[in-house]
Amino acid sequence: MTTESPARQDREVQRLERVTVRFAGDSGDGMQLTGTQFTKTTAIFGNDLATLPDFPAEIRAPTGSLPGVSGFQISFSSSDIRTPGDQPDALVAMNPAALKTNIGDLRPGGLVIVDEEEFSRSNLKKAGYEQSPLEDGTLSAFQVVPINITRQNELALEEVDLPSKQKFQSRNFYALGLVLWLYGRSIEPTVKWAEARFGRNPAVLDANLRALKAGYNFGDTTELFQVRYEVPPATVEPGLYRHISGNEATALGFLAASIKADLPLFYASYPITPASDVLHELSRHRNFGVKTFQAEDEIAAMGAAIGAAYGGSLALTGTSGPGLALKSEALNLAIMTELPLVVIDVQRAGPSTGMPTKTEQSDLLQAMFGRNGDSAIAIVAPATPADCFHMAIEAYRIALKYMVPVIYLSDGYLGNGSEPWKIPDMGDIPEIASHFADPSTTDFQPYKRDPETLARPWAIPGTPGLEHRIGGLEKSSETGDISYEPENHHKMTLYRNNRVANIQHDIPPLEVQGPESGDLLVLGWGGTYGAIVSAAENARAQGKSVASAQVRYLNPFPANLGEVLSRYDKVLIPELNMGQLSMLVRAKYLVDAVPFNKIAGQPFKIAEIEAKIDEVLGLRGPYELDFGPTSNLGGA
Amino acid sequence: MTAPATNGKTGDGEELPVLTKKDFTSDQEVRWCPGCGDYAILAQMQKMLPDLKIPRENIAFISGIGCSSRFPYYVETYGFHSIHGRAPTIATGLKLTRPELTVFVVTGDGDGLSIGGNHLLHAMRRNLDITIILFNNRIYGLTKGQFSPTSELGKVTKSSPYGTTEMPLNPTRIAIAAGATFVARAVDRDTKHLEQVLYEAAQHKGTSFVEVYQNCNIFNDGAFAAFTDKDVRDDRMLYLEDGQPLRFGKERQHGIKLNGFLPEVEWDAPEDAELLVHDAATPHTNLANILAHMDYPDFPVPVGIFRRVEAPRYEEMLEEQVQDARERAAPEFEPLLHGSETWRVND
């Protein structure tokens, strides 16, 4: 069977700069796998890309129902891109519910591939369709290609000895094969992957490969597609690349920090969406001396991390928003006892349980202030999935040098999103120094600070001569004995605060992309980086004086932030929250920053920020977010 | 820079100076109320610690919040006075990462069974090699006299002027149920017995749980006096001895026998043969539970070691996983960093 036959001569090949495809189906249809395989193939092909998985909260919502729809979006390009795309150009919908929940996002004129077989009366009813959208003209704005995927898949697998239910599960590979053909990608990486994955189960391997090839060949032979698309490889910096998700990069970054600090990593966590992947990943690496502890609750995970930090390990705990709320009391103990540790918060939509599988940036103020007393903490926030690796190392560099807990604010979009990553050379990453107490000290004083960093010495149990007592009660400066002295408490509070403020001199200055000064600075933090940079670039391409900058150090802020803000007439701060960075920036720098807030569980689209830029520049009237007629209902 | 390693001396006593109670007494002024039962527990602990023949620096005391939790300040070892109820979690993190240390958790009936109940359960079921001492005074002392989860039904306190309407917990029963592999009970006033129980608890490999009946002379004075007073103690308490029949009384003349599933007092029992024989090492928890149910005034109150069994320990199994994983795959970071698929972009 030929699998790589060239496109038929009579087929038009249309060259595109950038394409965004969304795969959508029932959560049992394997759409995440389909999307991931397409992504890997595209990465190896050499396109730049960004992805956005979007899955329901329910593990198995009723088959065919709207809440059961799972989606995976990938945007790929022959030039540098930073977001998974505003509007898909193509939608693969495996059933009516997938069509209904996703069609609203598709660009007008976009391509819709549906599994026609699944548009039965009962499935239409489950999706809330009175009549088939394939027949009633409601899809007239799109190019609809109905294919009997289920039936075609069945025919391709006729000779395979598997129950029909299992054969049905191969239809995502049929769809994958078809889309790989459509965009001129090879099936070879998926064949290799399937051979490794299903090698021990020949029937399943056979079924998947047959489905994949049948889908690919169907595209090649059918007359249904008038055009085949080509997105040439992007020109990127030379080097060795891989594809990586934010949560993977987070886990690898903390492991790298453990190697660079020469301290064993201890990760205590309670399972919580969307942070559990970090626990899964780190729990595989016992051979690196990584000890993972699945605690009885969030508080215990925080407490165990404190115990590990006290014992001289690289202590880490991870959670999402509600878990951070539970950890806050114990986190304050880490602040009071001045022990180095890192808390990962992969933020999700709140408040309370909120929308666990949806992204948001609404824990910044919780991270900053969500504890009793004046309790300053260091906060860092990666800007892209790959940046998670670097900021993890930064988190420990700060924690160990200043003897301070650090909150690492990722989010669901960063954690589950992915991008190609130029693999760093470990030799280029500096070692991380620790601030251990000198075991030869006589008359050891546990709170005697380093005059420069204000860090107290890290004196760990097992060291003879350094026996001492710490705790949550206020300590006397230097001796660490309990103290209720008024002046001492004033002084110690200032020490704890200044120790964090001091970090400002030890972090890189804020980098601006675009003009050094001008009409507008778009300031962001965390995962909004891609959309903000792209929007600002587009604005500049239209001759507008717009710069952008992404704050990766939230506490303390980079030393030059105030000065950067002062160089622009206006400052716009887009955030996936009610304006938390805006509040901090306005309070600290007395700048009349304009907040732009989206609280939808979805990342910003570039066009949304572009529209807001125009509004702030006075080039259009007030801009309101438009959520469209049928925005995604997944995870309702 | 690597964390300075401990000297690894944990028991054989060689090269070690002989330590005394004074070596384990810190320079901090003890601030419990005069007459508090905590003094006796502290003194027995400081007396017992030299017998362990462990260097001071390899011992850590972790406490929560409450009167009992001030304990670490007064012991010249490493100490951590943490937050309410969370001491077992900190001890867990410390023991998992530094298994060579000897870790004590000091808690109370409020700290351990109310706010920190969850952590206490899970520490015990995991069978970490730590020793948990729960000071049970059946009252909240530090907050000045509210009822606790071990206060008896109907207890009149500041926060229950009409009397409580909730049943108390029995700490020893909780420990048995949670799977602690060493469960014991002692009384603050019986110092010699207390010291012995603390020693046995510290020697046990696995989670040791010791409930100490501790008198709060300010807010709950005499809570245990009905059976711990010197002149009634012999008749109202039962000292558990492994392999011995359950006997009590000045002349050890009374005994406990089984009637069906239930214990029964046999007054003036002449023959040992009829009596229940204590066996702390029996794998089943039935006997320990029968003993834990026995309470004054229906029964003499048992003290001593209820249960002492061997079981795999959490930190040991975790350490084994690390060693096994290292033998199977060298910790090479580069392949991990590269992942399953890479591609090269050339100039």
Side-chain angles (χ1 to χ4, degrees):
Chain A
M1 189 191 269
T2 325
T3 58
E4 295 291 293
S5 54
R8 282 158 51 139
Q9 293 304 312
D10 54 352
R11 189 105 50 185
E12 185 197 335
V13 175
Q14 198 179 326
R15 182 177 267 239
L16 298 171
E17 160 96 6
R18 176 176 186 170
V19 167
T20 301
V21 181
R22 188 182 290 176
F23 299 91
D26 196 68
S27 48
D29 283 344
M31 290 297 101
Q32 300 303 323
L33 176 62
T34 309
T36 306
Q37 284 307 319
F38 188 82
T39 301
K40 283 184 181 171
T41 307
T42 297
I44 293 167
F45 182 77
N47 292 125
D48 196 11
L49 64 88
T51 65
L52 174 66
D54 183 22
F55 27 75
E58 290 81 357
I59 305 302
R60 288 283 181 273
T63 309
S65 68
L66 296 175
V69 174
S70 171
F72 187 101
Q73 184 165 317
I74 168 171
S75 192
F76 54 104
S77 166
S78 54
S79 60
D80 194 15
I81 56 165
R82 303 182 190 87
T83 76
D86 283 7
Q87 287 183 311
D89 302 294
L91 169 67
V92 178
M94 301 299 279
N95 67 12
L99 179 73
K100 187 163 195 183
T101 52
N102 289 282
I103 191 72
D105 295 335
L106 200 66
R107 76 164 164 80
L111 177 68
V112 186
I113 298 170
V114 296
D115 184 357
E116 197 177 8
E117 186 108 345
E118 288 294 294
F119 281 64
S120 63
R121 186 164 293 279
S122 74
N123 280 354
L124 287 166
K125 204 176 152 203
K126 281 187 214 165
Y129 280 121
E130 298 280 321
Q131 48 196 335
S132 174
L134 305 180
E135 287 155 16
D136 67 3
T138 50
L139 299 178
S140 59
F142 309 102
Q143 313 167 51
V144 183
V145 182
I147 301 171
N148 261 329
I149 294 179
T150 300
R151 181 69 192 135
Q152 300 262 13
N153 179 63
E154 260 172 29
L155 289 171
L157 271 57
E158 225 165 15
E159 292 162 27
V160 181
D161 185 25
L162 279 177
S164 59
K165 199 179 162 193
Q166 225 173 324
K167 287 183 182 178
F168 181 78
Q169 288 174 349
S170 289
R171 58 201 260 287
N172 63 328
F173 267 61
Y174 186 96
L176 176 61
L178 179 63
V179 179
L180 286 170
W181 171 83
L182 189 62
Y183 293 100
R185 334 253 96 170
S186 162
I187 62 167
E188 280 315 312
T190 303
V191 171
K192 263 171 68 184
W193 175 86
E195 282 168 354
R197 175 77 175 78
F198 303 116
R200 272 187 287 176
N201 198 336
V204 173
L205 174 65
D206 188 28
N208 281 322
L209 292 186
R210 278 172 192 259
L212 182 72
K213 288 169 185 173
Y216 189 94
N217 291 335
F218 177 77
D220 204 26
T221 51
T222 182
E223 300 293 332
L224 286 169
F225 296 97
Q226 301 308 312
V227 188
R228 193 184 189 195
Y229 303 96
E230 184 185 80
V231 181
T235 317
V236 295
E237 214 183 312
L240 190 64
Y241 282 77
R242 68 169 287 184
H243 171 250
I244 197 157
S245 76
N247 277 344
E248 278 177 297
T250 297
L252 284 181
F254 284 115
L255 190 50
S258 155
I259 293 166
K260 288 295 172 184
D262 195 16
L263 293 174
L265 184 63
F266 176 77
Y267 185 59
S269 185
Y270 186 76
I272 185 168
T273 303
S276 302
D277 284 344
V278 180
L279 173 62
H280 304 159
E281 180 65 26
L282 287 175
S283 61
R284 294 171 50 227
H285 303 308
R286 290 271 194 275
N287 59 327
F288 287 87
V290 177
K291 289 179 177 173
T292 50
F293 171 58
Q294 182 173 314
E296 60 270 24
D297 60 28
E298 294 281 359
I299 298 169
M302 187 71 237
I306 292 172
Y310 178 55
S313 281
L314 202 63
L316 182 65
T317 180
T319 187
S320 187
L324 184 62
L326 282 163
K327 289 180 192 303
S328 50
E329 189 207 12
L331 186 52
N332 234 351
L333 178 66
I335 289 173
M336 197 66 163
T337 50
E338 306 189 21
L339 286 169
L341 51 82
V342 175
V343 182
I344 302 168
D345 176 4
V346 187
Q347 300 166 92
R348 67 190 216 188
S352 187
T353 312
M355 302 195 287
T357 57
K358 306 297 171 190
T359 199
E360 210 161 88
Q361 297 183 292
S362 45
D363 293 344
L364 175 56
L365 294 183
Q366 181 183 207
M368 192 78 185
F369 300 122
R371 293 168 298 283
N372 67 306
D374 284 303
S375 64
I377 198 164
I379 305 170
V380 299
T384 72
D387 191 38
C388 289
F389 180 83
H390 302 286
M391 292 316 279
I393 297 170
E394 272 297 89
Y396 272 116
R397 181 182 69 82
I398 292 168
L400 294 175
K401 182 167 177 181
Y402 295 88
M403 290 292 285
V404 66
V406 177
I407 293 179
Y408 169 98
L409 284 179
S410 177
D411 63 46
Y413 168 70
L414 285 176
N416 291 320
S418 64
E419 63 180 345
W421 181 39
K422 188 181 165 191
I423 300 168
D425 184 341
M426 280 294 280
D428 294 342
I429 300 168
E431 308 290 313
I432 303 175
S434 297
H435 194 61
F436 287 117
D438 179 0
S440 64
T441 314
T442 51
D443 187 26
F444 172 64
Q445 307 218 306
Y447 278 79
K448 195 171 168 100
R449 293 166 193 284
D450 179 296
E452 192 201 329
T453 61
L454 299 183
R456 79 175 189 90
W458 196 8
I460 61 167
T463 321
L466 302 186
E467 294 87 356
H468 67 285
R469 271 64 56 190
I470 56 172
L473 286 169
E474 183 61 285
K475 321 277 174 319
S476 179
S477 161
E478 301 202 357
T479 66
D481 293 344
I482 300 169
S483 170
Y484 283 76
E485 289 297 315
E487 188 186 352
N488 179 73
H489 180 52
H490 186 81
K491 204 158 98 180
M492 288 293 274
T493 302
L494 290 179
Y495 272 138
R496 284 187 288 266
N497 190 69
N498 294 346
R499 188 176 42 123
V500 173
N502 258 352
I503 299 167
Q504 191 167 72
H505 309 298
D506 199 15
I507 55 175
L510 184 68
E511 275 178 42
V512 173
Q513 288 178 269
E516 283 290 299
S517 63
D519 294 345
L520 177 66
L521 174 73
V522 188
L523 187 74
W525 69 280
T528 55
Y529 171 76
I532 288 176
V533 169
S534 305
E537 270 176 2
N538 293 350
R540 285 199 295 280
Q542 295 160 21
K544 297 163 195 165
S545 166
V546 178
S548 72
Q550 201 74 0
V551 187
R552 293 151 82 224
Y553 299 83
L554 277 307
N555 201 39
F557 284 132
N560 66 334
L561 176 56
E563 185 264 323
V564 168
L565 293 168
S566 70
R567 298 201 305 250
Y568 300 86
D569 291 345
K570 288 188 167 144
V571 176
L572 171 66
I573 304 185
E575 288 179 89
L576 301 177
N577 61 44
M578 286 294 286
Q580 302 194 5
L581 178 65
S582 301
M583 183 189 280
L584 294 176
V585 165
R586 291 172 70 101
K588 191 168 168 73
Y589 300 101
L590 301 178
V591 168
D592 190 15
V594 180
F596 178 39
N597 311 117
K598 178 176 180 179
I599 315 98
Q602 295 289 338
F604 276 116
K605 291 175 177 174
I606 300 168
E608 291 166 347
I609 298 176
E610 283 184 77
K612 191 69 183 180
I613 287 173
D614 284 352
E615 179 203 307
V616 175
L617 291 175
L619 302 172
R620 61 165 289 163
Y623 170 70
E624 295 289 339
L625 286 166
D626 177 9
F627 296 105
T630 53
S631 58
N632 199 309
L633 301 173
Chain B
M1 188 174 173
T2 323
T6 60
N7 62 16
K9 284 176 268 177
T10 50
D12 59 10
E14 271 181 73
E15 299 170 56
L16 277 178
V18 177
L19 299 173
T20 64
K21 181 183 177 208
K22 209 176 147 217
D23 294 309
F24 286 97
T25 306
S26 79
D27 61 358
Q28 302 291 301
E29 184 194 343
V30 184
R31 295 201 183 168
W32 289 310
C33 309
C36 176
D38 290 357
Y39 283 94
I41 307 173
L42 176 64
Q44 299 327 305
M45 181 64 85
Q46 288 166 334
K47 258 170 81 180
M48 182 280 285
L49 286 172
D51 297 340
L52 296 178
K53 300 196 169 26
I54 297 169
R56 285 192 304 202
E57 67 271 15
N58 284 356
I59 300 174
F61 277 85
I62 318 287
S63 67
I65 290 291
C67 294
S68 60
S69 288
R70 289 228 160 195
F71 201 89
Y73 290 116
Y74 310 133
V75 190
E76 186 59 30
T77 60
Y78 281 88
F80 201 144
H81 177 209
S82 78
I83 46 175
H84 212 10
R86 318 301 173 202
T89 72
I90 292 165
T92 299
L94 181 61
K95 187 68 186 178
L96 290 184
T97 52
R98 301 291 304 278
E100 75 278 18
L101 299 176
T102 297
V103 179
F104 289 88
V105 169
V106 178
T107 184
D109 42 319
D111 189 63
L113 292 172
S114 200
I115 193 165
N118 192 30
H119 309 307
L120 189 70
L121 285 183
H122 289 278
M124 293 191 291
R125 85 172 161 92
R126 291 188 182 111
N127 197 35
L128 285 144
D129 184 19
I130 58 175
T131 301
I132 302 168
I133 320 283
L134 186 142
F135 297 16
N136 183 8
N137 58 15
R138 295 185 175 166
I139 199 77
Y140 281 26
L142 195 69
T143 51
K144 300 192 169 74
Q146 302 82 8
F147 62 91
S148 92
T150 56
S151 296
E152 59 277 17
L153 176 66
K155 178 96 175 164
V156 173
T157 71
K158 273 186 200 157
S159 59
S160 56
Y162 296 96
T164 64
T165 50
E166 56 181 53
M167 300 303 291
L169 283 175
N170 176 329
T172 298
R173 280 170 61 194
I174 302 267
I176 295 165
T181 51
F182 180 103
V183 180
R185 182 191 284 151
V187 178
D188 55 1
R189 311 172 63 165
D190 188 351
T191 52
K192 213 172 150 197
H193 181 255
L194 171 61
E195 187 193 344
Q196 188 58 32
V197 166
L198 291 178
Y199 177 78
E200 296 294 339
Q203 291 288 24
H204 175 72
K205 291 282 176 200
T207 303
S208 307
F209 176 86
V210 181
E211 176 188 15
V212 183
Y213 284 151
Q214 172 247 323
N215 192 45
C216 172
N217 57 323
I218 305 297
F219 296 107
N220 201 17
D221 197 21
F224 307 100
F227 54 90
T228 60
D229 268 351
K230 269 214 169 87
D231 46 343
V232 295
R233 188 186 288 175
D234 289 337
D235 287 329
R236 295 179 183 175
M237 279 169 54
L238 190 157
Y239 286 80
L240 297 169
E241 286 174 76
D242 213 14
Q244 297 297 314
L246 300 179
R247 281 194 170 276
F248 64 102
K250 240 182 202 72
E251 311 294 331
R252 294 175 53 79
Q253 69 275 39
H254 314 305
I256 301 292
K257 63 176 186 181
L258 266 194
N259 183 358
F261 292 114
L262 301 175
E264 204 175 73
V265 174
E266 172 95 334
W267 301 105
D268 298 314
E271 297 295 328
D272 282 353
E274 290 178 26
L275 302 181
L276 253 176
V277 175
H278 186 43
D279 179 4
T282 175
H284 211 283
T285 52
N286 270 5
L287 176 61
N289 271 316
I290 287 170
L291 296 169
H293 273 270
M294 288 167 48
D295 207 353
Y296 180 80
D298 299 329
F299 290 97
V301 177
V303 293
I305 299 162
F306 286 62
R307 183 168 168 75
R308 172 158 51 186
V309 293
E310 291 293 320
R313 305 194 296 276
Y314 190 121
E315 75 282 358
E316 208 178 41
M317 289 188 282
L318 184 59
E319 200 65 43
E320 273 166 23
Q321 285 188 353
V322 169
Q323 297 312 327
D324 288 354
R326 281 200 165 135
E327 275 164 36
R328 274 203 302 275
E332 286 175 45
F333 191 59
E334 196 136 293
L336 205 60
L337 196 59
H338 286 203
S340 54
E341 276 152 303
T342 58
W343 66 96
R344 186 167 286 284
V345 174
N346 296 313
D347 283 302

